Amino acid sequence: MGGYGFYVWSSYIIFFVTISYVFIVNLMKLNEKKKKLINLEKHSDQSS
Amino acid sequence: MYLKLKKSYFDVLDRFTPFLIIMTIVSFIIGSYFALYGSPPDYIQGDSMRIMYVHVPSAWWALMSYSVLAVSCTIWFITRNPFFNLIAKSIAPIGAVFTLIALVTGSIWGKPTWGVWWVWDARLTSMLLLFFLYLAYIFLWQAISNKDLASKISAALAMIGFINVPIIKFSVDWWNTLHQPASISKLSSPSIDESMLIPLFIMAFASLCFLITMFSVRLRIEFIESRISRLRQKIYD
Amino acid sequence: MTSPVKKRLIKFLLSLIVLAISILIIVYNLRDNIVYFYSPSELQDLNTSDVRILRLGGLVSTGSIQSETNGIHRFKINDGNEEISVKFEGILPNLFAEDKGVVVEGKYIKDELFIALKVLAKHDENYMPPEVIDSLKQTGNWQGE
C-alpha cells in the first residue's frame, strides 16, 4: 500500500465494522420487537 | 389517524431481506477486491486514494438519505399520512451512520493528503452540520413524549435543514475550499479514470444495497413499534 | 383536495419562500467570510495593514522551491496573475510539489512576503493511474498542470 497502508486499512476496517454493527443491532431490535408484538397480541386476545 | 397499511405488506419485506443481505455481501466482496487490489493507485496520491471508494459512496448516500428524510417529512406535514413519518424515522439513523463514515474516512484521507485531519472549510463544516441535523432529528423524537408534537417539531427541523443539502453539494464550487470539487458531475473530460470508476460504482452499489436492507429492517421496526403502542392503548384504556 | 391539506400546503409554501429569501440574504452577506483561503490577487487587493492570521491558496510556482538545511522552505504561490513569496519553517506535506495546489496559513506582511505557520497540500479532482498520465503526456493530451 506504498506507505499508506495504515490509513487505507483503518478506513476500510472502520467502514465495515460500523455497518456490520449497525446491521446486527437493528436485526436484533427487530426480532425483539416481533416477540413483544406477539406477546401483546396474545394478551389483547385474552382481555377482549 | 391510524396506519391504513396492512401487516402483509411488511411480511413481503421479510421475505426479501435474505436476498438483499446476499446482494449486499456479494457486491461488497467484489467491490472491495477491485477497490483494494484490482485497480491502479493514483498518480499523485498513491494508494491513499483507495479510501475514496468508501468515502465518496457514503457521502452520496448520506445526502440522498437526507433528501428522502426531508421529502417524506414535507409530505407528512401536508397530508398527515403517518406512513411518511415511519419512512422519515427509519431513514434518519442510516443517513447519520453514512455521514459519520464519510466524516471519519475523509479525515483519515485528509491526513496523508492535505497534512491535517480536519479543516473548517465550507465543505467539511456543512457536512458536520448534516451529521448534527440527523442527530437533532433523532433526539427530538426521543426527547418529546407527545408524539404529535414530536412529529411536528422534528418535521420542521428536517425541512429547514434541507437547505444544507445544496450548500454541501455546491460549497466546493461557490467558495474557495480545501476540499476539491466534484470529480463525477463534470460531463466533459473525465476527472476519474475508467479503471477507478469501476470500483467506485461497485462500492456505491454495495452501499446502496446495504442502505435498502437497513431501511427495510428499520421500517419494520418502526411499523411494529407503532402497532405495539396502539395495542397498549387498547389494552390499558 | 380537502381543505386542511390545502391550508397546510399554502402555509408550507409561504414559509418556504420566507426561508429561502432569508437564507439567500445570509449567504450573500457571508460570502466573504466563508472563503477558506484567498488567491494571491485577492490578497494583494485586501487591506494588509492588519496582521490577522489568514490563508493563501494557489499553485506552487515552477522552480521556486528553495529548501534550506535548517528546515526553512521558501517558495512562491501564484494564481496565473499574481505571485506571492512564502517562507515556512517546518515539515512540508508529502503531496507538496511544484505546480500543485497548496494552501498556507499565516501572516501576510509587506514586501509581498507571506510567513506561513502551516502548509496544507490541496488536491485536485483528477484521479488517474500513473500509466495513463504517462501516455497522455506522450501524446500531448495532458491538460493538467
Side-chain angles (χ1 to χ4, degrees), chain B residues 172-237:
Chain B
V172 286
D173 303 322
W174 289 344
W175 302 294
N176 289 340
T177 53
L178 188 61
H179 194 287
Q180 65 272 25
S183 306
I184 296 281
S185 62
K186 285 199 296 186
L187 292 171
S188 54
S189 62
S191 304
I192 299 188
D193 191 69
E194 219 171 88
S195 56
M196 295 165 174
L197 277 181
I198 294 164
L200 179 61
F201 285 147
I202 301 173
M203 288 303 276
F205 175 77
S207 305
L208 183 64
C209 287
F210 171 74
L211 193 154
I212 295 168
T213 312
M214 286 312 305
F215 181 63
S216 82
V217 169
R218 293 209 36 85
L219 198 59
R220 272 178 294 153
I221 292 174
E222 294 297 336
F223 176 72
I224 291 172
E225 223 161 45
S226 71
R227 277 179 65 89
I228 287 173
S229 61
R230 220 181 321 152
L231 272 173
R232 280 226 175 99
Q233 266 184 348
K234 238 166 87 182
I235 293 167
Y236 299 116
D237 277 356

Side-chain angles (χ1 to χ4, degrees), chain B residues 66 158-168, chain C residues 19-20 23:
Chain B
Y66 197 89
M159 287 189 285
I160 295 168
F162 185 69
I163 300 284
N164 195 30
V165 172
I167 290 180
I168 294 173
Chain C
L19 192 70
I23 295 288

Side-chain angles (χ1 to χ4, degrees), chain B residues 76-173:
Chain B
W76 176 83
F77 200 79
I78 294 165
T79 64
R80 298 292 151 100
N81 183 340
F83 177 60
F84 292 96
N85 245 342
L86 294 194
I87 292 181
K89 280 171 80 176
S90 310
I91 200 126
I94 311 169
V97 167
F98 274 122
T99 313
L100 188 65
I101 291 174
L103 285 169
V104 171
T105 55
S107 182
I108 295 172
W109 177 84
K111 183 63 188 164
T113 312
W114 298 331
V116 282
W117 297 99
W118 182 265
V119 290
W120 293 100
D121 81 344
R123 169 57 74 84
L124 277 70
T125 309
S126 56
M127 203 61 188
L128 186 65
L129 183 64
L130 183 78
F131 182 60
F132 289 144
L133 281 170
Y134 274 126
L135 285 190
Y137 180 86
I138 296 164
F139 285 148
L140 274 175
W141 270 106
Q142 294 176 353
I144 304 168
S145 50
N146 180 340
K147 289 300 158 213
D148 189 51
L149 189 68
S151 313
K152 282 177 188 162
I153 294 177
S154 57
L157 174 91
M159 287 189 285
I160 295 168
F162 185 69
I163 300 284
N164 195 30
V165 172
I167 290 180
I168 294 173
K169 178 80 186 69
F170 296 111
S171 55
V172 286
D173 303 322

